[in-house]
Amino acid sequence: MTHSLTPRDKGNLPALGAPPLIRLDAYVAEDGSTVVNGHLLDMGGTRPPNETILDAVAMFARTLGAPVAATVIDRTAQQVARLRVHPDGSSRTIGEDEDLPPGRERTAAEEEAFPPLARVERIIQHAQREELHAAFVLASALREHLTLRRGAEDELSLEARAIEAYLAYLRGDHMLSTVLALTVARIRCRTDLNRAAPDVARATAAWQRLWDEGQVATRGQELLHMWERLSAAGLLQEASHHAMAQAVRSRLAQGGRPVPQGSAPAAAALPAGPGQAPSPAAPEDKPLKPTRRGLRRFTRRAGRSPGQSS
């Protein structure tokens, strides 16, 4: 499973003249790693993620001299929290109906201030320095927020998920890599079958490294369905894709035994695209609870010192 992690041109860096931020985004990974606007934050050893996030968002509010909205995806609590943070450091959680109204204009302004491609640049830089944990957490944060904002089938959301899958592969988490890459292939098969073959190949490359027989069988059946669908549509035009499709058939016929290293092509570069095809369901994103008011961990009174929530 290969993927080109090469930085793009420097024109993708954040625009200095971007308009004031409309809404910030934050992400708390399941291990507590915390990201704000595409930057992994130093937790100072013992500080809880909510306090780190509040401090960071309050800093933006003070800089702008105006209240700042923030959306926090917290995987430790399986919730999305929507916040209003003021320059004096006070904050409260708000309901979805109180959040800034949705629309393309707001999304465009948010992404002009913190372009997704600039975040990808940062992920690539971490990966090239072999800081795979940081790169993976940043990729997860980007994928989660793009999916929340744009939907799972959006091109940017698909690209972010594909990068996340590749980083999971590099970290040796082949189960997670398979799930993520299969989601990409599944969506692509549903939305743009003509472009699905490379994504199915990437999912196959991760699947080839699985050892659990149940997972091998379940995921393999789904992959086989995808390859057969592509074949029926006349879309298997590369010899490597024919070989990978045959590798899936052979492994399933052998009872799901692991494919020896190098016995099938490793898969082309890994970027973009999820797809969907009916067959045994693979878990995708864990559902998040809807926004609720009064989440105490994100509520802070005016005058509280940094790191003190009410």
Side-chain angles (χ1 to χ4, degrees):
M1 188 182 202
T2 60
H3 185 37
S4 174
L5 284 176
T6 305
R8 306 185 186 189
D9 63 77
K10 296 189 178 182
N12 292 328
L13 299 177
L16 294 177
L21 297 176
I22 290 184
R23 182 181 57 190
L24 309 185
D25 60 72
Y27 173 75
V28 183
E30 290 181 350
D31 68 355
S33 299
T34 303
V35 177
V36 174
N37 286 334
H39 291 272
L40 189 63
L41 300 186
D42 182 357
M43 304 291 289
T46 58
R47 303 189 60 227
N50 61 305
E51 293 180 0
T52 303
I53 289 169
L54 286 174
D55 290 347
V57 178
M59 180 186 69
F60 278 103
R62 285 193 296 273
T63 300
L64 296 172
V68 170
T71 300
V72 183
I73 295 176
D74 187 347
R75 279 291 170 189
T76 64
Q78 296 294 302
Q79 289 180 330
V80 176
R82 302 177 192 277
L83 317 179
R84 188 71 45 77
V85 183
H86 297 266
D88 64 5
S90 63
S91 65
R92 69 183 182 94
T93 54
I94 59 177
E96 195 164 0
D97 56 330
E98 296 178 83
D99 196 7
L100 297 164
R104 292 181 183 175
E105 211 171 289
R106 183 184 73 184
T107 295
E110 290 169 351
E111 293 182 359
E112 183 180 357
F114 286 96
L117 288 180
R119 301 190 187 199
V120 172
E121 287 284 328
R122 200 169 298 119
I123 292 165
I124 290 171
Q125 289 164 7
H126 280 289
Q128 289 178 331
R129 293 194 297 265
E130 298 187 357
E131 299 165 353
L132 296 181
H133 173 73
F136 178 77
V137 171
L138 291 176
S140 297
L142 178 61
R143 186 261 304 170
E144 292 257 20
H145 277 287
L146 285 173
T147 300
L148 185 67
R149 187 184 301 157
R150 290 169 163 265
E153 296 181 1
D154 176 82
E155 281 299 316
L156 288 177
S157 302
L158 292 180
E159 179 75 17
R161 192 185 299 270
I163 291 171
E164 185 184 14
Y166 181 64
L167 290 167
Y169 184 89
L170 291 181
R171 297 176 74 200
D173 191 340
H174 298 133
M175 184 66 254
L176 179 58
S177 179
T178 301
V179 170
L180 289 165
L182 265 173
T183 302
V184 171
R186 194 179 305 119
I187 294 173
R188 186 72 77 194
C189 285
R190 181 173 67 240
T191 62
D192 191 354
L193 190 63
N194 290 328
R195 296 171 59 194
D199 298 299
V200 179
R202 294 166 193 136
T204 301
W207 172 82
Q208 287 176 329
R209 302 293 169 250
L210 296 184
W211 290 85
D212 181 274
E213 292 183 4
Q215 293 293 337
V216 167
T218 300
R219 313 296 181 181
Q221 288 296 331
E222 183 171 16
L223 283 167
L224 185 58
H225 177 91
M226 291 179 181
W227 284 121
E228 289 175 345
R229 186 177 173 195
L230 288 165
S231 179
L235 297 173
L236 290 188
Q237 299 176 8
E238 293 188 21
S240 62
H241 293 167
H242 281 285
M244 295 191 90
Q246 184 55 46
V248 173
R249 291 189 195 94
S250 297
R251 187 176 182 187
L252 291 175
Q254 294 167 14
R257 289 194 294 276
V259 175
Q261 190 87 15
S263 65
L270 182 152
Q276 144 79 311
S279 80
E284 297 183 12
D285 301 324
K286 298 176 185 175
L288 293 166
K289 298 175 185 176
T291 302
R292 298 184 307 166
R293 294 178 181 83
L295 293 172
R296 289 181 59 82
R297 68 187 186 283
F298 289 115
T299 300
R300 181 186 284 172
R301 297 195 185 99
R304 305 281 285 189
S305 61
Q308 289 183 300
S309 332
S310 57

